[in-house]
Amino acid sequence: MTTIAIIGAGKGLGLAVARRFAREGFAVALVARNQDRVDALAAELRQDGHSAAGYTPNVRDPESIRHALERATEELGPIEVLQYSPLPAKEYMRPVLETTEADLVGPIEFSVYGAVAAARQAIPGMRAIGHGTLLFVNGGSAVRPGGRVTGTSVAFAGESAYAQLLHDALADESIHVGQLIIPFGIDDGEPTHSGDSIADRLWAMHTDRGDFRVYAEPLPA
Ligand SMILES: NC(=O)c1ccc[n+]([C@@H]2O[C@H](COP(=O)([O-])OP(=O)(O)OC[C@H]3O[C@@H](n4cnc5c(N)ncnc54)[C@H](OP(=O)(O)O)[C@@H]3O)[C@@H](O)[C@H]2O)c1
Protein backbone atom coordinates (compact mmCIF):
# COMPACT_ATOMS: atom_id res chain seq x y z
CA MET A 1 0.00 0.00 0.00
CA THR A 2 1.28 3.49 -0.80
CA THR A 3 0.52 6.72 1.04
CA ILE A 4 -0.85 10.17 0.30
CA ALA A 5 0.62 12.77 2.65
CA ILE A 6 -1.73 15.74 2.96
CA ILE A 7 0.19 18.68 4.37
CA GLY A 8 -2.51 20.95 5.71
CA ALA A 9 -5.14 18.40 6.66
CA GLY A 10 -8.19 19.93 8.30
CA LYS A 11 -11.90 19.21 8.22
CA GLY A 12 -12.34 20.94 4.86
CA LEU A 13 -10.41 20.06 1.73
CA GLY A 14 -7.88 17.96 3.67
CA LEU A 15 -10.49 15.47 4.88
CA ALA A 16 -12.27 15.39 1.50
CA VAL A 17 -9.00 14.51 -0.28
CA ALA A 18 -8.14 12.00 2.43
CA ARG A 19 -11.45 10.19 1.87
CA ARG A 20 -11.12 10.34 -1.93
CA PHE A 21 -7.66 8.78 -2.01
CA ALA A 22 -8.39 6.33 0.84
CA ARG A 23 -11.33 5.02 -1.22
CA GLU A 24 -8.83 4.23 -3.97
CA GLY A 25 -6.67 2.22 -1.57
CA PHE A 26 -4.17 4.80 -0.33
CA ALA A 27 -3.00 5.01 3.26
CA VAL A 28 -3.35 8.61 4.47
CA ALA A 29 -0.89 10.74 6.44
CA LEU A 30 -2.84 13.69 7.84
CA VAL A 31 -0.43 16.52 8.54
CA ALA A 32 -1.19 19.71 10.50
CA ARG A 33 -0.08 21.28 13.77
CA ASN A 34 -2.78 20.15 16.18
CA GLN A 35 -2.35 16.53 17.32
CA ASP A 36 -5.91 16.10 18.65
CA ARG A 37 -7.43 17.32 15.39
CA VAL A 38 -5.31 15.13 13.07
CA ASP A 39 -5.84 12.16 15.40
CA ALA A 40 -9.61 12.70 15.20
CA LEU A 41 -9.49 12.82 11.38
CA ALA A 42 -7.33 9.68 11.29
CA ALA A 43 -9.76 7.91 13.65
CA GLU A 44 -12.68 8.78 11.30
CA LEU A 45 -10.83 7.24 8.37
CA ARG A 46 -9.83 4.14 10.35
CA GLN A 47 -13.46 3.65 11.40
CA ASP A 48 -14.28 3.37 7.70
CA GLY A 49 -11.62 0.67 7.34
CA HIS A 50 -8.81 2.83 5.95
CA SER A 51 -5.22 3.09 7.05
CA ALA A 52 -4.46 6.58 8.42
CA ALA A 53 -2.37 8.43 10.99
CA GLY A 54 -1.81 12.04 12.07
CA TYR A 55 1.50 13.96 12.16
CA THR A 56 2.12 17.42 13.56
CA PRO A 57 4.95 19.43 12.06
CA ASN A 58 4.72 23.18 11.54
CA VAL A 59 5.33 23.84 7.84
CA ARG A 60 7.37 26.88 8.88
CA ASP A 61 9.90 24.48 10.45
CA PRO A 62 11.49 22.46 7.60
CA GLU A 63 13.17 19.96 9.96
CA SER A 64 9.79 19.10 11.48
CA ILE A 65 8.35 18.42 8.01
CA ARG A 66 11.24 16.13 7.10
CA HIS A 67 10.81 14.22 10.35
CA ALA A 68 7.02 13.89 9.94
CA LEU A 69 7.28 12.59 6.38
CA GLU A 70 9.98 10.11 7.40
CA ARG A 71 7.74 8.76 10.16
CA ALA A 72 4.73 8.59 7.84
CA THR A 73 6.76 6.55 5.34
CA GLU A 74 7.92 4.13 8.06
CA GLU A 75 4.48 3.75 9.64
CA LEU A 76 2.12 3.84 6.63
CA GLY A 77 4.17 3.01 3.53
CA PRO A 78 6.00 4.90 0.77
CA ILE A 79 4.62 8.30 -0.15
CA GLU A 80 3.29 8.13 -3.71
CA VAL A 81 1.33 11.39 -3.54
CA LEU A 82 2.17 14.53 -1.63
CA GLN A 83 -0.35 17.36 -1.41
CA TYR A 84 0.87 20.72 -0.12
CA SER A 85 -2.20 22.65 1.02
CA PRO A 86 -1.86 24.24 4.46
CA LEU A 87 -4.39 27.03 5.02
CA PRO A 88 -2.53 30.38 5.17
CA ALA A 89 -2.91 32.50 8.31
CA LYS A 90 -5.12 35.61 8.17
CA GLU A 91 -2.14 37.73 9.24
CA TYR A 92 -0.46 36.96 5.86
CA MET A 93 -3.27 38.83 4.10
CA ARG A 94 -2.63 42.53 4.57
CA PRO A 95 -2.96 45.47 2.14
CA VAL A 96 0.18 46.11 0.12
CA LEU A 97 0.92 49.57 1.56
CA GLU A 98 0.71 48.21 5.10
CA THR A 99 3.03 45.26 4.44
CA THR A 100 6.64 45.43 5.57
CA GLU A 101 9.48 43.11 4.68
CA ALA A 102 9.11 41.55 8.14
CA ASP A 103 5.48 40.72 7.32
CA LEU A 104 6.67 38.59 4.39
CA VAL A 105 8.83 36.25 6.49
CA GLY A 106 5.87 34.15 7.66
CA PRO A 107 4.18 33.77 4.26
CA ILE A 108 7.46 32.90 2.52
CA GLU A 109 8.47 30.35 5.16
CA PHE A 110 4.96 28.92 4.93
CA SER A 111 4.48 28.74 1.16
CA VAL A 112 8.02 28.50 -0.21
CA TYR A 113 10.44 26.99 2.32
CA GLY A 114 7.83 24.54 3.60
CA ALA A 115 6.89 23.47 0.08
CA VAL A 116 10.54 22.97 -0.88
CA ALA A 117 11.29 20.96 2.28
CA ALA A 118 8.24 18.73 1.75
CA ALA A 119 8.92 18.11 -1.94
CA ARG A 120 12.61 17.38 -1.39
CA GLN A 121 11.76 14.91 1.37
CA ALA A 122 9.18 13.11 -0.79
CA ILE A 123 10.93 12.94 -4.17
CA PRO A 124 13.56 10.26 -3.34
CA GLY A 125 10.82 7.85 -2.20
CA MET A 126 8.82 8.51 -5.40
CA ARG A 127 11.93 7.81 -7.44
CA ALA A 128 12.39 4.56 -5.51
CA ILE A 129 8.88 3.33 -6.39
CA GLY A 130 9.25 4.63 -9.94
CA HIS A 131 6.42 7.20 -9.98
CA GLY A 132 4.59 9.77 -7.89
CA THR A 133 2.54 12.96 -7.82
CA LEU A 134 3.16 16.30 -6.11
CA LEU A 135 0.04 18.46 -5.84
CA PHE A 136 0.15 22.13 -4.83
CA VAL A 137 -3.13 23.85 -3.94
CA ASN A 138 -3.51 27.62 -3.97
CA GLY A 139 -6.09 30.38 -4.12
CA GLY A 140 -6.48 32.75 -7.08
CA SER A 141 -3.85 35.16 -5.72
CA ALA A 142 -1.21 32.64 -6.87
CA VAL A 143 -1.90 33.75 -10.44
CA ARG A 144 -3.44 37.18 -9.95
CA PRO A 145 -1.89 39.02 -7.00
CA GLY A 146 -4.48 40.68 -4.76
CA GLY A 147 -3.65 44.07 -3.23
CA ARG A 148 -5.37 43.14 0.03
CA VAL A 149 -3.65 39.77 0.39
CA THR A 150 -0.05 40.80 -0.11
CA GLY A 151 1.80 38.12 1.87
CA THR A 152 0.03 35.21 0.22
CA SER A 153 0.25 36.84 -3.23
CA VAL A 154 4.02 37.29 -2.97
CA ALA A 155 4.65 33.90 -1.38
CA PHE A 156 2.27 31.95 -3.68
CA ALA A 157 4.19 33.44 -6.64
CA GLY A 158 7.37 31.84 -5.27
CA GLU A 159 5.61 28.55 -4.58
CA SER A 160 4.09 28.56 -8.09
CA ALA A 161 7.47 29.16 -9.73
CA TYR A 162 9.10 26.39 -7.68
CA ALA A 163 6.29 23.93 -8.46
CA GLN A 164 6.42 24.69 -12.19
CA LEU A 165 10.19 24.23 -12.24
CA LEU A 166 9.76 20.91 -10.44
CA HIS A 167 7.14 19.90 -13.00
CA ASP A 168 9.59 20.47 -15.84
CA ALA A 169 12.51 18.83 -14.04
CA LEU A 170 10.61 15.66 -13.05
CA ALA A 171 8.45 15.12 -16.13
CA ASP A 172 10.80 12.48 -17.56
CA GLU A 173 10.86 10.53 -14.31
CA SER A 174 7.17 9.65 -14.14
CA ILE A 175 6.68 12.08 -11.27
CA HIS A 176 3.84 14.48 -12.08
CA VAL A 177 3.70 17.91 -10.49
CA GLY A 178 0.44 19.85 -10.65
CA GLN A 179 -0.99 23.02 -9.17
CA LEU A 180 -4.72 23.46 -8.53
CA ILE A 181 -5.96 27.06 -8.38
CA ILE A 182 -9.16 27.51 -6.39
CA PRO A 183 -10.53 31.00 -7.07
CA PHE A 184 -13.51 30.68 -4.67
CA GLY A 185 -14.32 29.83 -1.08
CA ILE A 186 -14.39 26.08 -0.46
CA ASP A 187 -17.81 24.80 0.64
CA ASP A 188 -19.39 28.24 0.09
CA GLY A 189 -22.73 26.67 -0.83
CA GLU A 190 -22.17 26.19 -4.58
CA PRO A 191 -22.29 22.42 -5.31
CA THR A 192 -19.20 22.64 -7.56
CA HIS A 193 -17.29 24.35 -4.75
CA SER A 194 -17.56 21.48 -2.30
CA GLY A 195 -14.48 19.86 -0.82
CA ASP A 196 -15.63 16.58 -2.40
CA SER A 197 -15.78 18.00 -5.92
CA ILE A 198 -12.33 19.62 -5.50
CA ALA A 199 -11.02 16.29 -4.19
CA ASP A 200 -12.30 14.68 -7.41
CA ARG A 201 -10.29 17.24 -9.42
CA LEU A 202 -7.17 16.42 -7.42
CA TRP A 203 -7.72 12.71 -7.96
CA ALA A 204 -8.05 13.39 -11.71
CA MET A 205 -4.82 15.43 -11.66
CA HIS A 206 -3.09 12.44 -10.08
CA THR A 207 -4.49 9.86 -12.50
CA ASP A 208 -4.70 11.85 -15.78
CA ARG A 209 -1.43 13.78 -15.45
CA GLY A 210 -2.56 16.70 -17.59
CA ASP A 211 -1.16 20.23 -17.60
CA PHE A 212 0.84 21.64 -14.71
CA ARG A 213 -1.81 24.22 -13.76
CA VAL A 214 -5.47 23.39 -13.38
CA TYR A 215 -8.21 25.90 -12.51
CA ALA A 216 -11.05 24.59 -10.37
CA GLU A 217 -13.04 27.30 -12.19
CA PRO A 218 -11.94 30.22 -14.41
CA LEU A 219 -10.75 33.34 -12.58
CA PRO A 220 -13.52 35.97 -12.41
CA ALA A 221 -13.23 38.62 -15.15
N1 LIG B 1 -10.76 27.60 2.47
C1 LIG B 1 -10.95 28.23 1.33
O1 LIG B 1 -12.03 28.83 1.08
C2 LIG B 1 -9.87 28.21 0.26
C3 LIG B 1 -10.03 28.98 -0.91
C4 LIG B 1 -9.08 28.90 -1.92
C5 LIG B 1 -7.99 28.07 -1.76
N2 LIG B 1 -7.84 27.34 -0.60
C6 LIG B 1 -6.70 26.43 -0.47
O2 LIG B 1 -7.18 25.18 0.03
C7 LIG B 1 -6.23 24.62 0.95
C8 LIG B 1 -6.83 24.52 2.35
O3 LIG B 1 -8.11 23.92 2.30
P1 LIG B 1 -9.18 24.19 3.52
O4 LIG B 1 -9.33 25.65 3.72
O5 LIG B 1 -10.40 23.39 3.24
O6 LIG B 1 -8.36 23.67 4.76
P2 LIG B 1 -8.46 22.34 5.66
O7 LIG B 1 -8.11 21.11 4.90
O8 LIG B 1 -9.76 22.35 6.41
O9 LIG B 1 -7.29 22.65 6.71
C9 LIG B 1 -6.00 23.04 6.37
C10 LIG B 1 -5.15 22.86 7.58
O10 LIG B 1 -3.86 23.49 7.39
C11 LIG B 1 -3.27 23.44 8.67
N3 LIG B 1 -2.18 24.40 8.81
C12 LIG B 1 -2.28 25.76 8.84
N4 LIG B 1 -1.08 26.29 9.11
C13 LIG B 1 -0.20 25.25 9.24
C14 LIG B 1 1.17 25.18 9.54
N5 LIG B 1 1.91 26.28 9.79
N6 LIG B 1 1.76 23.96 9.61
C15 LIG B 1 1.03 22.83 9.38
N7 LIG B 1 -0.29 22.84 9.10
C16 LIG B 1 -0.90 24.04 9.04
C17 LIG B 1 -4.40 23.77 9.67
O11 LIG B 1 -4.36 22.91 10.81
P3 LIG B 1 -3.57 23.37 12.17
O12 LIG B 1 -4.11 24.71 12.54
O13 LIG B 1 -3.87 22.26 13.14
O14 LIG B 1 -2.11 23.39 11.79
C18 LIG B 1 -5.67 23.48 8.86
O15 LIG B 1 -6.54 22.61 9.54
C19 LIG B 1 -5.04 25.58 0.95
O16 LIG B 1 -4.14 25.14 -0.05
C20 LIG B 1 -5.66 26.91 0.53
O17 LIG B 1 -4.70 27.79 -0.09
C21 LIG B 1 -8.75 27.40 0.42
Side-chain angles (χ1 to χ4, degrees):
M1 183 183 277
T2 58
T3 300
I4 177 170
I6 302 170
I7 303 196
K11 282 199 290 199
L13 183 62
L15 181 59
V17 171
R19 287 210 177 99
R20 183 70 182 86
F21 280 72
R23 229 167 54 216
E24 305 288 346
F26 278 78
V28 184
L30 298 142
V31 181
R33 289 165 300 180
N34 184 293
Q35 189 75 58
D36 290 344
R37 285 202 290 257
V38 287
D39 285 351
L41 298 180
E44 265 190 54
L45 289 163
R46 283 198 302 267
Q47 261 170 21
D48 292 338
H50 305 304
S51 170
Y55 302 90
T56 53
N58 183 334
V59 298
R60 293 182 59 185
D61 172 1
E63 194 47 47
S64 72
I65 299 181
R66 287 191 276 274
H67 180 63
L69 294 180
E70 241 169 48
R71 276 188 54 217
T73 302
E74 280 164 22
E75 293 170 5
L76 296 172
I79 295 171
E80 179 183 344
V81 180
L82 177 99
Q83 174 171 302
Y84 194 80
S85 57
L87 183 65
K90 288 221 164 54
E91 75 210 45
Y92 301 165
M93 302 176 202
R94 295 166 58 79
V96 64
L97 295 176
E98 293 169 22
T99 299
T100 67
E101 68 277 21
D103 293 326
L104 294 179
V105 172
I108 289 174
E109 285 180 353
F110 181 90
S111 294
V112 182
Y113 298 167
V116 173
R120 289 185 64 80
Q121 182 64 32
I123 289 166
M126 294 179 182
R127 283 182 165 144
I129 58 174
H131 60 275
T133 304
L134 293 149
L135 297 168
F136 295 85
V137 180
N138 296 100
S141 63
V143 282
R144 184 188 289 162
R148 302 199 65 77
V149 292
T150 305
T152 48
S153 297
V154 170
F156 281 177
E159 181 183 345
S160 301
Y162 176 70
Q164 183 146 19
L165 291 169
L166 269 189
H167 170 271
D168 299 348
L170 293 169
D172 291 342
E173 294 189 52
S174 218
I175 298 175
H176 177 63
V177 183
Q179 181 186 38
L180 180 66
I181 303 294
I182 304 175
F184 48 73
I186 296 171
D187 284 324
D188 64 1
E190 285 287 321
T192 54
H193 296 180
S194 69
D196 288 344
S197 75
I198 300 168
D200 285 339
R201 295 299 292 267
L202 287 155
W203 175 254
M205 287 169 74
H206 165 61
T207 52
D208 301 350
R209 305 194 147 213
D211 292 340
F212 162 68
R213 182 168 291 148
V214 172
Y215 289 84
E217 155 177 311
L219 291 185

